[in-house]
Amino acid sequence: MTTDWVTRPAARTWTCPPAPPEARAFHATLPGYHPTPLPELPALAEELGVGRLFVKDESDRLGLPAFKALGASWAIHRALAGRTGPPATLVTATDGNHGRAVAHVARLLGQHAHVFVPAGVSPEAVAAIAAEQARITEVPGPYDEAVRQAARAAEQPGALLIQDTAWPGYEQVPGWIVEGYSTLCAEVDDQVAAAGAGGPDLVVVPVGVGSLAQAVITHYRSRTGGRSPALLAVEPETAACVTTSLALGRPVTVATGETAMAGLNCGTPSSLAWPYLDEGLDAAITVSDAAGARAARDLAALGVHAGPCGAAPLAGLRAALAGPGRREALGLGPESVVVLLSTEGVAQLRT
């Protein structure tokens, strides 16, 4: 079963505990840290019939072309706390950006990195990971298989698995990664307020296994005394694990196909993220590569150079607003404030 649109009418009434605040303070100590830009794009606001529209541009985060460094750095910091002895080997599976972030942080800290990459990852992405002095194992299969092989490799002495998806029995490190992503949300709040827009009425987030979406849901559904925005998840139509799971009411694994949005090409929702996705998302939608490519071109023309995953939120919002009743489901009106999370730059070095 697949579907291109699922709604959760009660999502804005659901609440959860907040993320711990320590991650943002930690990130502020890192060399090269600065809040990434949040440009306002009035032309898109006019096109979509909303009041104001902002794009969180994650094309340069801690010197890397995606937001993933926030989660990787915090999780590695926590995992290595109090550890003594020889350098550890940090093991992970990736479609590009998460693995590069793990390898980058490992190199900076004098640790080793072993990164498993599935079929379909571009040679440029593999080369960028290798340039961080990581050992590379290429897996002739999909992302989920690369995750399984990485988990087995991390059973060796001296190895630590730093994976950004969770399954029963492996949830602590993915939880730290989600905590790390909370810095992005806190920055958005500060920047929207500084622009005189109050707070967002809708936040649109691209979804692979759901870890970033979990961080976004945690941030906005843990608020007390303020408005809770609508939250829309966007994923490729060829990897619709979240929309399918939401439609069925339980997490399922779906077969994935080829997509330019390789960082979102995931077949199984994170077990840690699933309860948040199920309860806290207002809606989820799937988009085609063609719609994503158009969104990337349009963003570039407006000065935001997003990769395929980063452009997915614009493609998803356009698709949502084209369907009957969907604008109402998201609570959007002519004065609404929208934030799109553009999670990667044009380097296309992915999840």
Side-chain angles (χ1 to χ4, degrees):
M1 174 183 180
T2 59
T3 182
D4 68 347
W5 168 259
V6 178
T7 58
R8 285 288 190 273
R12 263 164 280 179
T13 65
W14 184 72
T15 59
C16 62
E22 292 83 2
R24 190 181 190 189
F26 164 77
H27 289 135
T29 70
L30 297 178
Y33 170 77
H34 57 82
T36 52
L38 188 79
E40 183 172 4
L41 302 182
L44 285 181
E46 181 177 2
E47 173 201 329
L48 297 169
V50 297
R52 301 181 73 174
L53 186 142
F54 300 86
V55 178
K56 185 63 166 166
D57 182 357
E58 291 289 310
S59 60
D60 182 11
R61 173 63 79 173
L62 294 170
L64 297 176
F67 76 104
K68 292 285 187 174
L70 290 173
S73 61
W74 177 243
I76 291 169
H77 170 73
R78 293 296 306 273
L80 294 178
R83 185 183 178 95
T84 60
T89 298
L90 308 179
V91 183
T92 196
T94 188
D95 279 322
N97 276 326
H98 172 69
R100 185 178 180 187
V102 169
H104 180 75
V105 175
R107 179 176 61 79
L108 292 178
L109 297 178
Q111 310 295 316
H112 306 302
H114 184 182
V115 180
F116 288 74
V117 295
V121 175
S122 71
E124 295 80 9
V126 176
I129 298 168
E132 300 288 354
Q133 303 176 14
R135 175 186 172 190
I136 305 290
T137 295
E138 299 192 52
V139 177
Y143 173 78
D144 288 9
E145 177 59 27
V147 170
R148 286 189 285 270
Q149 292 196 24
R152 287 196 294 269
E155 295 173 357
Q156 299 300 313
L160 291 173
L161 185 64
I162 308 294
Q163 197 59 57
D164 57 345
T165 187
W167 54 87
Y170 182 74
E171 295 183 331
Q172 184 178 55
V173 171
W176 289 333
I177 288 174
V178 171
E179 290 176 6
Y181 297 157
S182 66
T183 294
L184 184 157
C185 301
E187 291 177 0
V188 167
D189 281 355
D190 290 348
Q191 291 167 317
V192 171
D201 298 297
L202 171 68
V203 178
V204 189
V205 55
V207 173
V209 299
S211 295
L212 176 60
Q214 180 187 348
V216 173
I217 293 165
T218 299
H219 182 77
Y220 289 107
R221 301 301 185 230
S222 62
R223 289 180 162 185
T224 57
R227 62 179 175 177
S228 186
L231 304 176
L232 171 64
V234 182
E235 60 185 345
E237 60 186 10
T238 55
C241 67
V242 171
T243 52
T244 303
S245 296
L246 290 173
L248 291 171
R250 57 184 173 83
V252 297
T253 296
V254 301
T256 59
E258 294 185 5
T259 175
M261 295 170 276
L264 309 181
N265 194 19
C266 305
T268 306
S270 166
S271 67
L272 191 65
W274 169 249
Y276 294 81
L277 302 173
D278 187 38
E279 298 283 0
L281 284 174
D282 289 81
I285 195 166
T286 65
V287 295
S288 68
D289 277 4
R294 177 198 167 201
R297 290 193 299 270
D298 291 345
L299 286 169
L302 296 170
V304 178
H305 299 284
C309 299
L314 175 57
L317 182 57
R318 281 172 164 165
L321 297 185
R326 295 179 179 180
R327 182 181 294 268
E328 291 76 15
L330 296 173
L332 290 183
E335 303 301 321
S336 296
V337 176
V338 175
V339 173
L340 309 179
L341 302 185
S342 177
T343 51
E344 67 172 7
V346 293
Q348 301 180 27
L349 302 177
R350 306 174 179 110
T351 186

